[in-house]
Amino acid sequence: MRHTSTASEVDEETFFRGVETGGTVISTALEEMDRIVRERYSPADWNIYAAQASDGDNTSSDNAVVLAQMKDVILPICQYYAYVEVGMDDEDEHPGAGEPSTNLWRAYRRVPVDAPFAMRKVKHRRDIYPVFRELFARRPEGAESAA
């Protein structure tokens, strides 16, 4: 699935090679994910694992909606949800600033700590896949993934 201001399910070729522009409204992607899961992959019959990569851009007015969707709709149906953000860290731009400043990162930092959720930041697109592999690696029983 891909999205800007609206989300749509696309084939692999379109996902990796298609060009789409426009504002980013993350809640549309979460709505589309929920629709697909409910129509085809009942959580009663399937283990749902989700992976999201983003530059962290989201319309500010959408952050509260995204957080509510994550807490009330998406995380309750997921075994695990991993988020990887691609781009420059505030620490790199402003030493000592600390927390990355994208809208989506700030929203996701408010996901409850006991949720099946992890997030990481990478500087380059080429690092997305290795970080997803790390986040989805089998862990020993009782080991937890740090957010």
Side-chain angles (χ1 to χ4, degrees):
M1 171 182 1
R2 71 176 188 178
H3 67 90
T4 53
S5 60
T6 59
S8 59
E9 187 175 7
V10 297
D11 61 27
E12 186 175 344
E13 178 70 19
T14 303
F15 182 82
F16 286 108
R17 305 210 191 289
V19 177
E20 194 171 338
T21 61
T24 304
V25 182
I26 300 294
S27 63
T28 65
L30 300 178
E31 289 167 4
E32 184 69 1
M33 177 189 167
D34 181 48
R35 182 193 66 77
I36 291 168
V37 168
R38 302 244 179 245
E39 287 180 6
R40 296 196 302 248
Y41 305 104
S42 169
D45 299 323
W46 293 84
N47 288 327
I48 308 299
Y49 292 85
Q52 178 186 8
S54 172
D55 64 1
D57 188 28
N58 189 35
T59 301
S60 295
S61 61
D62 192 47
N63 287 340
V65 174
V66 166
L67 187 58
Q69 285 174 303
M70 288 297 286
K71 289 178 180 177
D72 301 334
V73 178
I74 300 301
L75 292 175
I77 64 173
C78 285
Q79 299 300 117
Y80 185 65
Y81 192 106
Y83 171 64
V84 174
E85 187 166 296
V86 183
M88 189 70 77
D89 234 332
D90 267 0
E91 187 67 27
D92 295 327
E93 294 176 16
H94 309 287
E99 190 73 19
S101 65
T102 66
N103 285 329
L104 192 54
W105 187 272
R106 284 192 306 269
Y108 281 169
R109 290 293 293 169
R110 297 191 326 244
V111 169
V113 295
D114 61 343
F117 179 81
M119 56 192 236
R120 298 285 186 282
K121 186 121 172 119
V122 298
K123 290 185 181 184
H124 303 284
R125 293 175 69 174
R126 68 179 174 264
D127 298 326
I128 294 172
Y129 183 70
V131 170
F132 274 139
R133 283 187 54 103
E134 172 194 328
L135 289 172
F136 282 98
R138 184 177 296 265
R139 306 228 189 288
E141 193 67 30
E144 294 188 26
S145 173

